[in-house]
Amino acid sequence: MEPKNTTFPSTYTASDWEDRLYTLWEKSGFFNPDECIKAGITKVDAEPFSIVLPPPNVTGTLHAGHASMLAIEDILIRFKRMSGYRTLWLPGTDHAAIATQSKVEKLLAGEGKTRADLGREAFLKRVEQFAQESHDTIIHQTKKMGSSLDWSREAYTLDEKRTLAVRTAFKKMYDDGIIYRGNRIVNWDPVGQTTISDDEIVYQEETAKLYYLKYGPFEIATARPETKFGDKYVVMHPEDERYQQYAHGDTLTVEWINGPIEATIIKDEMIDREFGTGVMTITPWHSHVDFDLAQKYHLDMEQIIDQSGHLLPIAGEFAGKPISEAREHIIAKLAGKGLVTKIDESYVHQIATAERSGATVEPQIMRQWFINVTKEFPRDGKTVTLKSLMQDAVRQEKIHLLPERFNKTYFNWIDNLRDWCISRQIWFGHQIPVWYRGEEVFCGIEAPEGTGWTQDPDTLDTWFSSGLWTFSTLGWPKTTDDFQTYHPTTVLETGYDILFFWVARMILMSEYFLADIPFKTVYLHGLVRDEQGRKMSKSLGNIIDPLDVIADYGADALRLSLVIGSTPGNDLKLSTEKITSYRNFVNKLWNMGRYVSLSFDAGNVTPKAKNVSDHWILTRLAEVTAEVTAHLDHYNISLASETLRDFTWNEFADWYIEIHKIEKNDAVLAHVFMTLLKLWHPFMPFVTEALFQTFAPNEKNPLMITAWPKADTLATKDDAEQFKLVIKLIQEIRAIRSIYQIEPAKKIAVTVTAGANEITLTQNNGAIFQHLARLSEIHVIATAADTPQNSIIVQAGLLRAYIELADVVDFEKEKKRLLKEKQDKERYITTLETKLQNKNFIERAKPEIIAAEKTKLEEAHKHLSDIDHHLTSLS
RNA sequence: GGGUCUGUAGCUCAGUUGGUUAGAGCGCUACAUUGACAUUGUAGAGGUCUCCAGUUCGAAUCUGGACAGACCCACCA
């Protein structure tokens, strides 16, 4: 039979459909919740469901990790939209200050230029041009994934509205004294020529030389002799008995690199007595711990190394030399003076490097802008700090992290949190809204009136603007409808690698400015790795480009492979084999549609269960609908799609469609298939919409906005149960065919029996066997209560089938098979009986479990007696 | 140094509060193939649930320990 629709090809070609369908959806306007309300699809007072897209950096293109983020979020959004929620998914991009600037600087370096050659204005133009190109690429890729984002609300962290939000936020914090400017020790990146935050540091293990130096009567150890010129404090533990003769504050003259200096004894408990000799000298200008110590005792601090990594005049003859060059010379000089006692060549330590430039971070004391995370202020009659606000949001379960174990990591991070340095010495970003004129300082949203003002040249850490993202995108500081409807947002879905960078900072900002949480649930996805579990990187050449995959396999296949097997907090391995297998599944679904189209009659036919197979499939459909809905409600996206896939392939395609070829009920077939299209739509929007449009072309009412299926059914459970047994029995019979290698052409004659008070074979499922004769070469010759002679027994529940195979079967072999089965069964019965005779079990186990065990025992006894009976009949 | 997680079939992993004779996909083996689909179907083989001890009537599941691995945080100079 030809398909009614002769244009229904036997293979689904994703590229023929995807762009067309995305345009169809976009034109419909239904990505925008306002349009859904206008069209009556969503009720005005419906519960809102909102997600703001974690804005990709405008540094280039999207990778597999972005693709997985888009897939997960789109699934949640499409599911909720179909379920009737007022659903908003808001897109945007991030200017990503340092990352973007350094990318452009690299491009410039290729042309032999630096940012200084261009000047601030021309350089910024260049960056913005690059950012615009990246933006366009990213939007194109995002659409290719099928993302149902509301483009009418698109935002950019550096656009006009977000700039207003940033300046408003800065001014408020400045006025409240939360933001302050101060001389403090910061992480200086000598290559990027900017400060960076603690989180932008990557520690790398390095084997270096550890020098043991004579410092007066003491011996100190250092890996960095070049910082030691100004060391005039020597620190030891107050309870260290070796140094009892020295008191805190004592001074003594020691011979040092450039001649004698006066050293002061400091006693402090932070010293580890076990390390080296238990004595160290400090360099407050270039070490965080030393700085803390110097502040504690009000010690002098002196700069030794300049911002480009060269030694200052304090180094005497070494002044002007870069660190790397100076180190060995300094040691040589010290050795000449007899001050080097030992050199440990294999000292392993962690050195701090800048994430972006790769340079070794040099701590420096500099004048920078900070957010004070420990400043106390009143809130609702209590005294709070930014730290405590961040802790409480999660501790009081206003925000749920998924998986929950990240709570601990989160609290741990906050405990160790220091003031956040928010100023950066780069050009691309939000320039700090502070102006100076002589001693005057002005902070405002606009530049101050009058002449002679100059704006602070620094820009803000990019995470300052991203921290405002959940509400700056919704119109804040204005009180817009969007803000009132969609904030706090429902879910934040992002990678666990930016929990601190971003998630924590959004909580900080939202709690401070709105006294509210930014989102209720945080779904933290893992990293996408290659098939061997390695990170994807250019140098390994193992990058899977989402666009390539979409071109070769289609967006739906990519989405499935990114979602199935992916659980919150765990990394995902992606391989082409995996993508291929889901492409196959997409095609399988397409062909199910092709089969359904053979008998599909447009027009709404109410499905009515006739055959037991109908009762079965409708009951299962209802069960699966309920399961999938529950899984999605609990963010178990992988489980939801696996449940659906198993049902679609193993039950609907392999059984129901096969049976439909014999026992037709077109209305039920079409109903189940159409319901499956809806259930699958969030996971694979393209192929489901393509099928939907093929069956019932309706561009105004796409599948995308049809109502999510309900889990009720007209079928009866008993009939469904009965059919399950029949399926099981057929599987047993097929196994026999395989065991005895009975050729497929040969029909098997089967006698089916069931006891009078047990499940009986109705006219209907008796018919199934007869019809199945063609399908699985099973031929039911009778239904009887008696055991036929010389036959093989198979059973499913209380159904039994006797297969008459006298001409093909070696009955000695069959006896052996039965004896083995008997042994297994007896062992099983013993286990069950022991269990059921156990008083503790009877008293403590749940009644359902006991009942289930009893049924199992009953069945096992029945099977055993059947086997016995059959064994005697064989001999 | 502190912390988190993982260890189940050859591979990738499910396994909800302890209770079916421990599951799936891929791979492997055998068979089938004009059929909606060779991007398919049917069946099979394959597991001491890393190891040891404990709690319990009962442990893949809970507790302690060992071993192996992954990751995060932290400038012991």
Side-chain angles (χ1 to χ4, degrees):
Chain A
M1 198 202 311
E2 278 297 305
K4 280 184 188 171
N5 181 348
T6 47
T7 62
F8 214 130
S10 68
T11 308
Y12 170 67
T13 312
S15 52
D16 290 350
W17 285 95
E18 293 184 351
D19 290 345
R20 261 165 56 205
L21 290 173
Y22 197 85
T23 312
L24 183 156
W25 292 327
E26 252 193 312
K27 266 196 196 154
S28 77
F30 295 136
F31 289 167
N32 182 341
D34 305 333
E35 294 299 320
C36 291
I37 290 169
K38 260 189 233 163
I41 295 154
T42 310
K43 291 184 184 136
V44 194
D45 57 353
E47 195 182 321
F49 182 90
S50 54
I51 298 180
V52 288
L53 178 76
N57 292 349
V58 286
T59 46
T61 54
L62 298 187
H63 49 70
H66 291 112
S68 113
M69 164 184 92
L70 291 168
I72 293 169
E73 291 177 26
D74 196 41
I75 287 169
L76 296 175
I77 288 289
R78 285 181 188 264
F79 165 58
K80 290 293 178 178
R81 189 186 291 120
M82 288 171 81
S83 301
Y85 286 76
R86 188 167 168 181
T87 309
L88 172 66
W89 190 20
L90 196 151
T93 46
D94 193 323
H95 70 287
I98 289 186
T100 312
Q101 168 154 340
S102 58
K103 194 111 189 185
V104 174
E105 280 185 289
K106 267 180 204 155
L107 292 176
L108 279 179
E111 302 163 16
K113 289 184 210 156
T114 66
R115 64 167 141 151
D117 295 339
L118 296 185
R120 187 160 187 153
E121 207 174 313
F123 177 74
L124 282 181
K125 267 208 180 118
R126 181 72 192 261
V127 179
E128 271 150 29
Q129 183 202 331
F130 173 83
Q132 184 61 45
E133 283 164 20
S134 295
H135 165 271
D136 296 347
T137 311
I138 287 166
I139 301 305
H140 174 245
Q141 287 176 305
T142 306
K143 292 184 175 180
K144 277 288 199 180
M145 284 295 294
S147 319
S148 58
L149 285 152
D150 180 5
W151 295 106
S152 72
R153 286 174 164 89
E154 191 188 340
Y156 176 47
T157 50
L158 206 53
D159 64 18
E160 214 173 292
K161 285 181 181 168
R162 264 44 67 177
T163 300
L164 175 67
V166 164
R167 292 188 167 197
T168 308
F170 188 97
K171 181 169 168 38
K172 168 127 178 64
M173 283 185 152
Y174 178 86
D175 291 345
D176 294 350
I178 292 286
I179 286 183
Y180 68 94
R181 194 179 188 214
N183 284 306
R184 296 192 42 127
I185 191 151
V186 294
N187 307 304
W188 179 256
D189 171 357
V191 169
Q193 286 289 300
T194 179
T195 55
I196 58 172
S197 71
D198 291 346
D199 301 295
E200 286 162 312
I201 287 177
V202 181
Y203 289 96
Q204 283 178 353
E205 199 171 271
E206 188 195 64
T207 306
K209 289 178 183 168
L210 185 66
Y211 306 98
Y212 287 82
L213 308 175
K214 226 169 150 179
Y215 188 83
F218 309 108
E219 188 188 55
I220 59 158
T222 183
R224 302 201 56 194
E226 67 276 7
T227 63
K228 296 282 152 193
F229 291 100
D231 286 13
K232 54 183 182 182
Y233 299 102
V234 56
V235 193
M236 57 210 70
H237 199 278
E239 281 152 32
D240 195 327
E241 289 173 3
R242 287 170 291 181
Y243 308 109
Q244 282 304 336
Q245 74 258 44
Y246 303 100
H248 183 84
D250 282 0
T251 58
L252 63 160
T253 305
V254 300
E255 180 57 25
W256 200 224
I257 313 171
N258 290 333
I261 58 167
E262 190 175 75
T264 307
I265 305 281
I266 302 291
K267 296 236 170 179
D268 193 273
E269 288 171 356
M270 56 88 53
I271 286 288
D272 177 1
R273 276 173 281 183
E274 306 300 314
F275 190 89
T277 55
V279 180
M280 73 170 195
T281 59
I282 60 167
T283 315
W285 201 281
H286 299 292
S287 158
H288 285 90
V289 261
D290 294 4
F291 176 81
D292 291 343
L293 208 60
Q295 280 216 315
K296 186 170 169 187
Y297 297 108
H298 307 287
L299 309 178
D300 298 339
M301 307 183 200
E302 235 173 324
Q303 189 173 5
I304 317 292
I305 299 163
D306 73 6
Q307 296 184 359
S308 61
H310 292 77
L311 289 161
L312 289 164
I314 190 174
E317 66 196 85
F318 304 102
K321 289 213 160 90
I323 301 169
S324 50
E325 200 181 303
R327 190 173 291 174
E328 285 302 323
H329 290 117
I330 295 165
I331 288 300
K333 184 173 182 189
L334 283 165
K337 289 182 162 196
L339 295 178
V340 179
T341 52
K342 189 169 72 172
I343 300 175
D344 179 355
E345 302 270 346
S346 55
Y347 175 61
V348 179
H349 70 151
Q350 307 281 322
I351 57 162
T353 62
E355 190 185 29
R356 294 290 167 191
S357 70
T360 304
V361 169
E362 185 65 66
Q364 292 273 8
I365 296 176
M366 297 179 75
R367 200 166 192 207
Q368 300 287 342
W369 290 96
F370 295 89
I371 287 182
N372 190 335
V373 293
T374 47
K375 185 187 165 75
E376 296 185 337
F377 56 92
R379 167 72 57 89
D380 298 333
K382 280 188 221 146
T383 303
V384 297
T385 64
L386 285 178
K387 265 195 183 191
S388 75
L389 288 177
M390 289 163 88
Q391 285 162 334
D392 289 349
V394 175
R395 191 168 292 141
Q396 294 169 4
E397 299 190 345
K398 289 188 276 184
I399 297 176
H400 291 272
L401 302 186
L402 268 184
E404 217 171 291
R405 68 181 141 91
F406 279 99
N407 282 1
K408 283 187 183 171
T409 327
Y410 176 81
F411 290 131
N412 192 19
W413 178 80
I414 293 178
D415 287 342
N416 297 319
L417 188 61
R418 293 185 292 202
D419 283 0
W420 172 16
C421 175
I422 51 169
S423 45
R424 295 290 180 275
Q425 290 66 51
I426 58 171
W427 290 343
F428 184 53
H430 292 279
Q431 199 170 342
I432 289 176
V434 173
W435 287 261
Y436 310 101
R437 183 167 68 184
E439 289 299 301
E440 285 178 87
V441 178
F442 175 86
C443 175
I445 288 163
E446 300 294 338
E449 307 268 318
T451 53
W453 291 96
T454 43
Q455 189 173 1
D456 194 306
D458 288 358
T459 49
L460 286 169
D461 179 8
T462 191
W463 300 104
F464 188 95
S465 56
S466 350
L468 311 171
W469 192 241
T470 58
F471 49 97
S472 69
T473 50
L474 293 171
W476 187 87
K478 294 195 182 104
T479 316
T480 59
D481 284 348
D482 271 5
F483 178 71
Q484 285 177 318
T485 308
Y486 300 110
H487 205 275
T489 60
T490 320
V491 184
L492 177 82
E493 193 279 337
T494 191
Y496 65 75
D497 50 329
I498 54 172
L499 177 64
F500 307 136
F501 280 116
W502 192 42
V503 180
R505 266 143 197 173
M506 283 196 282
I507 297 174
L508 183 157
M509 292 295 196
S510 183
E511 283 289 345
Y512 188 71
F513 292 109
L514 313 173
D516 200 357
I517 51 171
F519 29 70
K520 295 166 189 159
T521 300
V522 182
Y523 182 109
L524 295 162
H525 65 242
L527 267 47
V528 180
R529 295 170 176 275
D530 74 358
E531 61 231 281
Q532 293 166 47
R534 300 174 304 182
K535 274 191 184 176
M536 290 189 186
S537 73
K538 274 185 194 155
S539 52
L540 283 174
N542 59 351
I543 291 183
I544 296 182
D545 183 339
L547 279 190
D548 292 346
V549 176
I550 291 171
D552 294 346
Y553 302 92
D556 292 326
L558 175 61
R559 289 168 66 116
L560 286 183
S561 43
L562 287 168
V563 149
I564 298 184
S566 152
T567 47
N570 294 323
D571 294 350
L572 174 80
K573 286 180 192 162
L574 186 64
S575 61
T576 42
E577 289 77 40
K578 197 171 172 188
I579 299 165
T580 311
S581 72
Y582 291 118
R583 192 266 322 266
N584 295 353
F585 177 65
V586 169
N587 193 61
K588 179 86 181 171
L589 187 75
W590 177 261
N591 273 290
M592 288 177 216
R594 195 157 178 254
Y595 177 81
V596 173
S597 77
L598 297 176
S599 53
F600 184 76
D601 201 3
N604 256 330
V605 188
T606 323
K608 207 178 157 198
K610 277 193 314 205
N611 310 309
V612 278
S613 57
D614 300 335
H615 285 281
W616 167 72
I617 199 74
L618 290 171
T619 306
R620 285 293 298 137
L621 181 69
E623 284 167 5
V624 165
T625 303
E627 272 177 59
V628 169
T629 309
H631 283 320
L632 285 175
D633 279 335
H634 294 106
Y635 303 103
N636 290 325
I637 296 170
S638 179
L639 273 180
S641 42
E642 282 172 86
T643 307
L644 254 185
R645 183 200 50 199
D646 293 348
F647 174 73
T648 308
W649 204 321
N650 303 335
E651 299 186 86
F652 181 63
D654 290 349
W655 284 100
Y656 191 77
I657 289 187
E658 290 307 319
I659 284 160
H660 176 270
K661 289 173 182 170
I662 302 153
E663 232 175 20
K664 290 191 190 305
N665 188 339
D666 293 347
V668 171
L669 178 78
H671 169 75
V672 176
F673 183 71
M674 284 319 213
T675 308
L676 278 177
L677 286 188
K678 291 174 196 172
L679 293 172
W680 271 119
H681 181 72
F683 304 92
M684 355 186 227
F686 289 113
V687 70
T688 49
E689 187 74 72
L691 284 161
F692 188 80
Q693 294 294 336
T694 304
F695 279 111
N698 190 343
E699 306 204 348
K700 293 264 164 61
N701 291 297
L703 180 63
M704 181 194 138
I705 43 99
T706 53
W708 187 254
K710 290 204 168 54
D712 30 73
T713 173
L714 299 164
T716 57
K717 198 129 191 180
D718 281 352
D719 285 331
E721 286 302 318
Q722 208 173 41
F723 188 71
K724 273 188 205 168
L725 287 181
V726 173
I727 288 182
K728 220 170 161 189
L729 198 61
I730 292 170
Q731 281 173 329
E732 295 290 334
I733 296 169
R734 283 176 177 170
I736 289 292
R737 179 184 286 281
S738 191
I739 288 168
Y740 288 105
Q741 301 195 331
I742 299 158
E743 20 175 316
K746 176 150 186 74
K747 291 203 173 188
I748 302 178
V750 176
T751 304
V752 180
T753 66
N757 293 324
E758 300 154 4
I759 297 173
T760 52
L761 282 173
T762 63
Q763 202 58 41
N764 265 338
N765 55 26
I768 285 173
F769 277 110
Q770 289 174 27
H771 289 303
L772 279 173
R774 197 193 69 169
L775 177 69
S776 52
E777 293 81 31
I778 293 164
H779 180 50
V780 178
I781 53 167
T783 58
D786 293 335
T787 310
Q789 295 294 308
N790 294 330
S791 58
I792 290 174
I793 182 174
V794 289
Q795 40 212 353
L798 296 174
L799 278 184
R800 292 182 294 285
Y802 299 95
I803 307 170
E804 291 171 44
L805 286 171
D807 50 338
V808 277
V809 172
D810 171 355
F811 281 98
E812 285 309 310
K813 195 175 168 186
E814 178 60 7
K815 255 189 221 169
K816 269 189 196 157
R817 186 182 77 92
L818 280 177
L819 279 171
K820 192 176 175 298
E821 210 167 288
K822 187 182 167 178
Q823 262 181 9
D824 286 352
K825 208 55 83 177
E826 278 169 344
R827 208 175 313 139
Y828 180 47
I829 286 173
T830 318
T831 320
L832 281 177
E833 277 175 346
T834 323
K835 203 173 192 179
L836 283 163
Q837 279 160 14
N838 188 316
K839 267 186 200 162
N840 286 309
F841 176 70
I842 299 294
E843 282 165 19
R844 294 181 208 175
K846 287 180 197 160
E848 313 86 271
I849 289 165
I850 297 172
E853 300 285 309
K854 277 184 182 162
T855 317
K856 277 186 273 175
L857 184 62
E858 228 171 89
E859 266 181 30
H861 274 300
K862 194 88 199 166
H863 289 178
L864 186 64
S865 78
D866 284 348
I867 292 168
D868 278 336
H869 193 191
H870 202 58
L871 269 172
T872 38
S873 82
L874 278 180
S875 46

